[in-house]
Amino acid sequence: MTNEAWLVFGLGNPGPKYEATRHNIGQMVIAELASRIGTSLTRTKLRSNVGTGRLPTGSTPGLPGPRVIVGTSTSYMNDSGGPVRQLADFYGIATERIIAVHDDVDIPFDAIKAKLGGGEGGHNGLRSMTSVLGTKNYLRVRAGVGRPSGRQDTADYVLRPFSKEERTTLPIFVSDLADAVEILINDGLEAVQQKFHSR
């Protein structure tokens, strides 16, 4: 049995070693969303840190909007699919109402893209989700982190903290990504694409 709630899952790795890295920007967005809906993340037996609440509606301010479950994994990135599946099953969330928020090296830092389905682009968290969910047809909000310069390994690059220059605008970027999630839920995929794809 499914319901009308949404599951927004921020991909990343657990623990303080990783929390400030590019690979964990999805989890930073979940923290921002949790603050907006007035909840905190609680560790659960579903291998996730989870909070629930309602978004404000875009069209009618002041009225309670869609119910959302926001979550991050207590497992590592390459095992993201299991916690997502467990949360979706527990809360009765249909696959088309799952939103993965994740880093993307194929778009520049500060760029935001949204899409339904598609490939994984070498992203282990997405690969795990696709494998466990049995479909690519879930929504993604892609946070651009850019590619490493020179010969730096991409896997090493995403596991490093943002640069000093990037950190100056990171809070605004995370806030914009949270806005993108809200617009996606309230107004749909096309509305997000129109607002953010040209930036």
Side-chain angles (χ1 to χ4, degrees), residues 56-111:
T57 56
S59 56
T60 313
L63 291 180
R67 182 170 181 248
V68 294
I69 294 93
V70 292
T72 62
S73 178
T74 57
S75 301
Y76 284 92
M77 179 70 85
N78 60 4
D79 190 32
S80 299
V84 172
R85 174 80 278 167
Q86 287 181 280
L87 285 176
D89 289 347
F90 182 81
Y91 288 100
I93 309 295
T95 304
E96 60 268 21
R97 298 178 82 85
I98 296 173
I99 302 170
V101 186
H102 64 91
D103 62 304
D104 195 319
V105 298
D106 290 326
I107 53 178
F109 174 74
D110 198 40

Side-chain angles (χ1 to χ4, degrees), residues 118-191:
E120 289 82 39
H123 196 291
N124 288 333
L126 295 177
R127 186 179 290 123
S128 175
M129 283 186 61
T130 296
S131 174
V132 174
L133 293 174
T135 180
K136 299 175 183 287
N137 290 328
Y138 50 89
L139 291 155
R140 301 104 182 271
V141 172
R142 304 159 62 200
V145 296
R147 286 197 172 274
S149 58
R151 297 186 178 184
Q152 185 180 8
D153 180 69
T154 301
D156 181 57
Y157 170 76
V158 297
L159 291 176
R160 289 187 178 275
F162 288 94
S163 69
K164 183 178 180 180
E165 182 181 3
E166 289 169 336
R167 288 197 297 271
T168 62
T169 57
L170 184 60
I172 298 170
F173 186 26
V174 169
S175 179
D176 287 346
L177 284 158
D179 288 348
V181 172
E182 288 196 30
I183 293 168
L184 178 57
I185 292 172
N186 280 319
D187 303 311
L189 181 59
E190 187 176 344

